[in-house]
Amino acid sequence: MEEHKQEESMKHLGEEEGEEESVSESVRDLPSDAVKELLSEGVCARCIFRLFGLQGRVYASSPSLSSVSSLSATTHQLCTLCFGILQFTYYSDDTQTLLQNQNLPLLIADTVKRHAYQFHTFSLEVSIPPIILSNDNSLRSYMKTKFGSQSWFQENLHTGCISTKDALKFSLIYPLENLLECKSSMGPFRIRLTYTHTKASKGDQNRSDSAETCKRRKIEIPVGNSLENDSSDGCEFLLEKANEPCHFTFYCYRTPFYFGGRYLKYSRNVSQTCWIIDDERMGEASVEEIIGGKILQACQGDSFKFHAAGREDIDVRMLGPGRPFLVEVQNARHIPSELFVKDVERKINNMENKLVRVKNLKLVGSEGWDLMREGEAEKQKQYAALVWISRPLKDEDFQCISSHKDLKVLQRTPIRVLHRRSPLEREKIIHWMKIEAIAGSSQYFLLHLCTQAGTYIKEFVHGDLGRTHPSIGSILGCRAEILQLDVTDIKMECFLT
Ligand SMILES: [Zn+2]
């Protein structure tokens, strides 16, 4: 959010009328003795702008201070303050070369275009090494010692220097807005610039090539009164001459898209997630791959994650209104429109094998994940089971089964899942049950039942050698086996409307 506000204010500043004039005016107004001093210390033009608190477009043009100083030739040296960041000079890890005074906006724009992202806005994320902050702090103390008594210092420098990070954004945002033909604002499309330096921070002799290590180190920020102790000779503030530019890389990415919906599974040979045991696939396909794969392909993303609210066994069909799911697509090149989402849904539903269908596919925010997790814990599920019993069905069985309302069942962890679940005893509730006869068959029937989520249905039918009690077998006083099972309804609000 912080970053967002900053960018907004930057944009605002840039859009002010008469910006060009005020830029050159404000550069002219800089105190020339101080500017000369800084240039002679090897500070680059953009760093001088930011030290004096200038904002906006002044950074975007190729900066020159010739109007204030004849020493502008020094801008070709590596800046002692930003180590080349604001001069667009850096060591490229990709090409293993030192690149000087690059046209960074153009390089970035070319890369972005090459990756063929669709986007309406972009936002810059900048990470710079702690040594740069530490340089800024040293310089500020120096400036205070050297020019603290002058009125321009008291007026300007106290109102605040612009950080290297913000100055870099000022330098890039305006040209990038032109090159990419869209505005900069906080949105899902990000361009990430990462600068690192082999010196973690000033005075730290430990060399570190990793930005991570730099991050973990505490940066000491000098506080007001410590400055009084600085030597008044003034030149010791830094500037151990910078001899190494920062390492620089950049990439662009999009924050994830989330697709929510419900799926139906018509096959007893399709697992919910890709299921491979000893290099061998279980079942002919998975819901995850069918739905996620199609969505990923359509969005041209890098990868996807599939989350479902609960799961059914591979041999259990998922019918009725379907089971809620969420697909998270990483780094999509395409922005899915509403029409696009409908098209993806149609593509999945028109697949030849008809193993899986989706309903109500739509884009949801990242809150979809919470919605689904809440929904998962909740509520009731309905099933239809094809049951065989060891004796012919009797008339009174119908009444007997449907007379049970909110029946409490104790389930010890089923034998079939004991190898991966800890042994526990859970109480579950069977809300209602009903037998549907199958014409011409006396020992087979359909059992419709509505249970608390998490009930082991197969075990409730056959009793799992007494580990589930009561069971259909114990209630009817005979052996009961389950031949087929379908989920017919999941009562959950999310992704339904
Ligand atoms: Zn600089």
Side-chain angles (χ1 to χ4, degrees):
M1 281 328 275
E2 185 73 4
E3 208 153 1
H4 182 50
K5 273 185 215 146
Q6 270 176 8
E7 269 179 32
E8 287 300 316
S9 74
M10 284 182 185
K11 275 170 57 190
H12 179 67
L13 274 154
E15 280 157 12
E16 274 171 19
E17 292 287 319
E19 177 74 20
E20 289 301 319
E21 265 176 42
S22 72
V23 163
S24 51
E25 259 170 43
S26 49
V27 172
R28 248 196 326 270
D29 287 347
L30 299 179
S32 60
D33 57 335
V35 170
K36 274 181 196 158
E37 171 87 31
L38 289 165
L39 286 170
S40 73
E41 290 288 354
V43 176
C44 76
R46 286 192 179 102
C47 275
I48 292 175
F49 295 161
R50 68 188 184 83
L51 283 169
F52 289 98
L54 299 190
Q55 301 192 21
R57 283 188 196 276
V58 64
Y59 295 89
S61 51
S62 189
S64 153
L65 284 167
S66 50
S67 57
V68 249
S69 172
S70 55
L71 288 167
S72 58
T74 55
T75 52
H76 296 298
Q77 294 175 358
L78 194 65
C79 173
T80 42
L81 211 49
C82 67
F83 290 176
I85 292 179
L86 296 178
Q87 297 168 303
F88 300 163
T89 291
Y90 54 87
Y91 186 83
S92 161
D93 284 339
D94 301 332
T95 59
Q96 304 272 309
T97 46
L98 175 66
L99 300 171
Q100 286 182 292
N101 304 105
Q102 296 294 294
N103 188 337
L104 198 52
L106 194 64
L107 280 172
I108 293 172
D110 281 350
T111 303
V112 168
K113 285 175 184 166
R114 207 169 44 243
H115 284 89
Y117 282 92
Q118 285 181 340
F119 53 92
H120 304 307
T121 64
F122 67 93
S123 71
L124 289 180
E125 295 177 334
V126 176
S127 147
I128 59 166
I131 191 168
I132 303 295
L133 297 174
S134 152
N135 282 357
D136 280 6
N137 288 325
S138 319
L139 184 78
R140 246 170 273 166
S141 336
Y142 163 79
M143 293 287 281
K144 191 175 177 188
T145 315
K146 186 101 182 170
F147 303 108
S149 58
Q150 299 190 20
S151 62
W152 61 261
F153 179 89
Q154 284 153 12
E155 283 162 26
N156 288 326
L157 225 56
H158 278 310
T159 58
C161 302
I162 306 296
S163 68
T164 304
K165 200 186 232 183
D166 287 343
L168 182 65
K169 287 185 177 180
F170 280 135
S171 316
L172 294 172
I173 280 173
Y174 300 107
L176 277 177
E177 283 186 341
N178 288 332
L179 290 163
L180 299 175
E181 295 173 338
C182 68
K183 287 287 174 191
S184 146
S185 87
M186 199 59 184
F189 181 64
R190 314 275 170 87
I191 302 168
R192 181 156 193 83
L193 316 179
T194 307
Y195 289 88
T196 54
H197 201 269
T198 47
K199 275 184 197 152
S201 71
K202 196 165 131 62
D204 190 335
Q205 296 309 308
N206 295 331
R207 292 172 74 85
S208 158
D209 290 321
S210 117
E212 280 310 302
T213 324
C214 295
K215 268 181 208 157
R216 267 184 254 121
R217 226 160 253 152
K218 266 255 186 297
I219 305 152
E220 282 176 32
I221 297 166
V223 281
N225 57 7
S226 74
L227 305 182
E228 313 305 332
N229 303 330
D230 283 359
S231 129
S232 59
D233 126 300
C235 281
E236 67 156 29
F237 76 97
L238 331 152
L239 279 171
E240 327 167 352
K241 292 288 179 226
N243 50 13
E244 274 181 88
C246 291
H247 287 241
F248 171 63
T249 59
F250 69 95
Y251 63 91
C252 39
Y253 71 99
R254 193 192 309 278
T255 54
F257 281 121
Y258 296 88
F259 291 79
R262 287 180 174 245
Y263 74 81
L264 303 169
K265 179 168 85 80
Y266 298 123
S267 165
R268 298 192 192 280
N269 194 27
V270 168
S271 55
Q272 186 189 66
T273 52
C274 179
W275 186 16
I276 289 166
I277 300 174
D278 297 334
D279 295 331
E280 199 185 331
R281 167 187 284 283
M282 301 289 117
E284 58 182 299
S286 70
V287 177
E288 173 184 42
E289 290 162 286
I290 292 171
I291 297 176
K294 271 275 182 282
I295 292 176
L296 182 70
Q297 188 187 32
C299 294
Q300 297 191 20
D302 284 351
S303 58
F304 72 88
K305 287 181 198 154
F306 178 88
H307 315 281
R311 60 190 309 137
E312 64 280 327
D313 291 337
I314 185 167
D315 58 351
V316 173
R317 295 188 300 176
M318 180 66 235
L319 307 175
R323 185 185 295 280
F325 69 87
L326 198 67
V327 171
E328 180 183 330
V329 180
Q330 317 288 342
N331 205 9
R333 307 306 193 271
H334 278 204
I335 301 174
S337 63
E338 218 166 282
L339 219 65
F340 174 97
V341 175
K342 283 294 144 209
D343 192 52
V344 175
E345 179 173 327
R346 199 164 44 243
K347 275 183 186 147
I348 295 169
N349 293 344
N350 288 344
M351 286 172 74
E352 265 175 39
N353 50 25
K354 302 268 184 251
L355 303 172
V356 166
R357 252 184 85 84
V358 295
K359 278 179 170 178
N360 303 313
L361 188 68
K362 59 184 171 194
L363 271 174
V364 296
S366 54
E367 75 279 3
W369 183 219
D370 292 329
L371 267 178
M372 209 175 54
R373 218 171 351 211
E374 280 164 26
E376 191 176 350
E378 153 190 42
K379 312 304 176 206
Q380 308 179 353
K381 305 198 173 170
Q382 283 180 35
Y383 300 86
L386 177 60
V387 176
W388 170 91
I389 53 173
S390 56
R391 60 160 174 78
L393 199 60
K394 295 180 269 189
D395 284 345
E396 55 263 41
D397 293 336
F398 290 82
Q399 177 58 34
C400 165
I401 287 296
S402 52
S403 69
H404 290 95
K405 300 285 177 218
D406 296 326
L407 172 69
K408 284 189 184 134
V409 173
L410 280 178
Q411 295 203 297
R412 283 157 68 198
T413 304
I415 293 165
R416 68 186 164 100
V417 299
L418 258 181
H419 62 285
R420 56 192 163 92
R421 303 267 161 84
S422 48
L424 284 174
E425 191 172 75
R426 300 178 190 79
E427 187 183 274
K428 295 290 172 187
I429 296 182
I430 313 292
H431 297 291
W432 54 259
M433 297 185 279
K434 175 174 90 184
I435 288 177
E436 181 187 342
I438 295 173
S441 166
S442 60
Q443 284 175 256
Y444 292 92
F445 61 88
L446 282 175
L447 176 71
H448 297 277
L449 68 170
C450 174
T451 74
Q452 185 183 352
T455 309
Y456 291 108
I457 307 301
K458 291 171 178 170
E459 282 66 24
F460 173 65
V461 171
H462 59 61
D464 202 23
L465 305 175
R467 298 170 65 85
T468 289
H469 190 86
S471 64
I472 291 296
S474 75
I475 292 168
L476 295 179
C478 60
R479 243 177 76 214
E481 298 293 343
I482 182 162
L483 288 103
Q484 284 186 352
L485 182 63
D486 295 330
V487 184
T488 53
D489 199 0
I490 297 176
K491 299 281 184 210
M492 269 175 59
E493 290 307 308
C494 71
F495 309 139
L496 241 190
T497 49

